Amino acid sequence: MNAENNFAARLIDARRLAEIARTCGLKADVSHYVNEALKELWQTQSPEEARKIAERWVLWDAEGRPWPRIPPLDNVVQFHRAGPTQISMASQPATPLQAIRGWFDRQDEEVRTETAGMATLLVFEGHDLLVFGGRAWCDYLRQWLSETNLSNQTIIGRALTFRSCFEYFAESRFTESGWTRSEKVALGVVEDAKNDPDSDAARLAPFAQKLLDTLPARKIRWINVRKSWRELVSASLTPRALRVWSASRTERVRGH
């Protein structure tokens, strides 16, 4: 299970555990449980990865005690730990849609256009985007992923919708068998065109030949896309990751 999700879940539980400890007469506040979570994080992750996770979820007060970034606490000020385990302040964790937008923008133009086209076919049905080109598709998808003032439910709904749509279309690009099927279909079209120059296959032959010519490069590109997509899903789009994000956002809102 994703280490960051586990760590965030423990921080969300820290307040509840501190309240239980207080009712039992124990001197264990929220900071105590955050510190315990940090110890486990440093034991199970590399120092570099532990620092990255901690700086997204932890603030340090003037006495060097760790506190959750959720909700913001009045007694928390900017604090830097001395030495190799220095922790600095960072922005709040991205929403699932912001995480998808960041992933989308890191892809090359061809992958962005194909991905936005997938969304155009299923997610944006009824918006007449099919008559426009790839640039319009990409712009509309970015706008859809970047809309502000959305409820948690809407953000999670959009994230799940995009994930389902993308994986529905991209599955054939993520597997060897999918590329093998595409190659066989294209070879069949080219062969049929040779046998009957007046057939429908003949009209499709130039497109099929182009697919065959570019298939090796596209296969490598989409294998890399598969890797980055699965990393994104594991970190931000699993059911548990979405629940952790929603709970943390709710806590931040209550803390204001």
Side-chain angles (χ1 to χ4, degrees), residues 119-150:
T120 297
L121 285 172
L122 288 186
V123 179
F124 306 138
E125 183 180 2
H127 290 271
D128 298 326
L129 288 174
L130 288 175
V131 300
F132 299 103
R135 183 182 296 275
W137 300 344
C138 291
D139 289 345
Y140 198 94
L141 178 57
R142 287 191 181 96
Q143 178 183 348
W144 187 75
L145 293 171
S146 304
E147 188 175 347
T148 59
N149 299 321
L150 299 177

Side-chain angles (χ1 to χ4, degrees), residues 20-165:
I20 294 173
R22 187 164 54 250
T23 61
C24 297
L26 301 176
K27 295 181 179 180
D29 60 9
V30 174
S31 179
H32 168 80
Y33 291 103
V34 174
N35 194 52
E36 292 299 309
L38 281 168
K39 289 179 181 178
E40 181 177 321
L41 183 67
W42 249 267
Q43 290 170 355
T44 58
Q45 304 297 310
S46 68
E48 180 181 1
E49 182 63 22
R51 282 195 296 271
K52 289 179 179 179
I53 293 174
E55 71 178 1
R56 287 192 286 266
W57 290 93
V58 177
L59 289 174
W60 305 79
D61 65 21
E63 297 178 353
R65 302 177 70 209
W67 299 85
R69 293 182 64 87
I70 46 162
L73 301 173
D74 293 337
N75 66 319
V76 173
V77 297
Q78 184 170 349
F79 179 84
H80 297 282
R81 179 188 292 271
T85 59
Q86 177 176 344
I87 305 277
S88 63
M89 293 186 64
S91 59
Q92 296 287 354
T95 72
L97 294 182
Q98 290 169 341
I100 294 172
R101 166 70 188 269
W103 171 87
F104 176 77
D105 285 336
R106 288 191 295 273
Q107 308 310 309
D108 64 29
E109 183 177 359
E110 180 179 316
V111 173
R112 289 198 301 269
T113 300
E114 288 192 49
T115 300
M118 298 171 189
T120 297
L121 285 172
L122 288 186
V123 179
F124 306 138
E125 183 180 2
H127 290 271
D128 298 326
L129 288 174
L130 288 175
V131 300
F132 299 103
R135 183 182 296 275
W137 300 344
C138 291
D139 289 345
Y140 198 94
L141 178 57
R142 287 191 181 96
Q143 178 183 348
W144 187 75
L145 293 171
S146 304
E147 188 175 347
T148 59
N149 299 321
L150 299 177
S151 67
N152 287 13
Q153 291 82 355
T154 300
I155 291 174
I156 291 173
R158 287 191 180 188
L160 291 173
T161 297
F162 181 86
R163 178 182 175 180
S164 297
C165 171

Side-chain angles (χ1 to χ4, degrees), residues 5 22 39 42 69-70 78 83 94 110 119 126 157 163 165 169 179 184 188 200 220 222 232 238 248:
N5 290 344
R22 187 164 54 250
K39 289 179 181 178
W42 249 267
R69 293 182 64 87
I70 46 162
Q78 184 170 349
E110 180 179 316
R163 178 182 175 180
C165 171
F169 280 105
W179 288 104
K184 287 182 178 179
D200 290 339
I220 293 173
W222 277 95
L232 171 68
T238 63
S248 68

Side-chain angles (χ1 to χ4, degrees), residues 206-226:
F207 300 100
Q209 187 59 55
K210 181 179 180 181
L211 186 150
L212 290 170
D213 294 340
T214 60
L215 190 146
R218 294 188 70 243
K219 177 180 176 180
I220 293 173
R221 180 182 296 114
W222 277 95
I223 293 300
N224 290 331
V225 172
R226 176 184 66 184

